[in-house]
Amino acid sequence: KSNVHKESQEIVKTYYRQKGWIAIIEHYIAGKKIDVLSQEIKTKYTIANEIQISPEHTLENIDLDFRAGCDEVIIICIDQKVLEQIKKKTFQELSEELLKKIKFQLINEFIPLKNNNKIKQNKAEFNTEFNVEQNPKREEVIKWKNKLA
């Protein structure tokens, strides 16, 4: 996996953990490796977050994620053009019912800071595990960490 892919996985994982969800990178479920598997603790609602650097393997990933039992799939891209290519392909190939369970987002939507041109820079500021004191949402992070203790 590329550094951009790995950094994106960290951003997505941190986003969900700040919300109080469980989030695991490269998690195997029913024989399928998911880029970031996230689950809401109370309801057990499960989301497969797939980081797509290119449109390749998108439909296969979606199919396998739902077969593995995920409630929703979010396709996350760094590049708007790739996101549009993926949307076009999925809307042509998949049923309307399945499309209701799929979201398409840019990685920047997972970064709460307004100036999000540099993923690496913001990742450091958003990383709750190592920079709690510097995090703009410090109180939320502390509440989340206390829940886990």
Side-chain angles (χ1 to χ4, degrees), residues 32-57:
K32 161 66 168 104
K33 186 167 58 170
I34 297 171
D35 284 332
V36 181
L37 181 70
S38 56
Q39 186 178 66
E40 206 280 328
I41 294 170
K42 291 179 185 175
T43 65
K44 304 292 186 217
Y45 187 83
T46 304
I47 300 174
N49 298 275
E50 296 291 354
I51 314 293
Q52 295 292 146
I53 305 298
S54 75
E56 293 178 41
H57 308 293

Side-chain angles (χ1 to χ4, degrees), residues 98-114:
L98 203 55
L99 288 168
K100 290 177 185 177
K101 300 178 192 179
I102 302 170
K103 290 183 182 168
F104 304 88
Q105 293 183 260
L106 290 170
I107 190 64
N108 292 345
E109 295 175 58
F110 287 88
I111 304 171
L113 305 173
K114 290 186 180 181

Side-chain angles (χ1 to χ4, degrees), residues 16-72:
Y16 282 104
R17 287 189 176 179
Q18 275 200 324
K19 289 175 58 168
W21 288 44
I22 296 167
I24 304 166
I25 292 175
E26 300 287 339
H27 184 71
Y28 278 95
I29 183 170
K32 161 66 168 104
K33 186 167 58 170
I34 297 171
D35 284 332
V36 181
L37 181 70
S38 56
Q39 186 178 66
E40 206 280 328
I41 294 170
K42 291 179 185 175
T43 65
K44 304 292 186 217
Y45 187 83
T46 304
I47 300 174
N49 298 275
E50 296 291 354
I51 314 293
Q52 295 292 146
I53 305 298
S54 75
E56 293 178 41
H57 308 293
T58 302
L59 294 175
E60 178 185 347
N61 283 338
I62 291 169
D63 180 55
L64 292 171
D65 291 339
F66 285 125
R67 286 179 192 231
C70 295
D71 298 301
E72 182 178 328

